Amino acid sequence: MAKAKTIFVCNSCGYESPKWLGKCPACNEWNSFYEEKVVKEKDGTFLADKKTRAAKPTSLNSVEGKEAVRISTGIGELDRVLGGGIVKGSLVLLGGEPGIRKIYTDSSNLQ
Ligand SMILES: [Zn+2]
């Protein structure tokens, strides 16, 4: 029967260790280790838990982004800064000197 075991994997470079490490010896990153359950197979190799391996790394070139519907604020310059307007469900924080007429809005107030 397969035996479950826990290993620690560096989130930065993938270095594996049987115990948690504060600093990765491979890439020198601090606090980058996370716990991963693995199962020992009959041939002695360890396979990661199905849940943790379900998500596979994807090249950025092959990621398809969806074009969000943008709602115009009615202020041309603000729309330009926001990339065409406010995205529904998003929150925009404006900053500036006192008295320069900052506005607050969330997209649920727009049509
Ligand atoms: Zn590392």
Side-chain angles (χ1 to χ4, degrees), residues 14-80:
Y15 181 86
E16 293 178 3
S17 167
K19 60 178 178 148
W20 188 87
L21 299 171
K23 185 182 180 187
C24 178
C27 70
N28 295 325
E29 193 73 37
W30 287 94
N31 295 322
S32 59
F33 280 84
Y34 64 93
E35 193 175 350
E36 189 170 81
K37 283 191 171 57
V38 290
V39 176
K40 189 174 186 179
E41 293 293 288
K42 286 175 196 160
D43 63 0
T45 59
F46 288 94
L47 281 181
D49 194 302
K50 280 177 188 149
K51 270 187 256 172
T52 56
R53 285 290 187 216
K56 294 201 166 141
T58 306
S59 166
L60 277 179
N61 296 338
S62 62
V63 173
E64 287 181 37
K66 280 194 268 180
E67 195 62 39
V69 176
R70 298 200 177 260
I71 304 156
S72 174
T73 61
I75 305 166
E77 184 64 11
L78 183 57
D79 284 349
R80 191 183 68 78

Side-chain angles (χ1 to χ4, degrees), residues 1 5 25 50 67 72 81 83 101:
M1 181 173 162
K5 187 188 166 189
K50 280 177 188 149
E67 195 62 39
S72 174
V81 169
R101 302 253 176 168

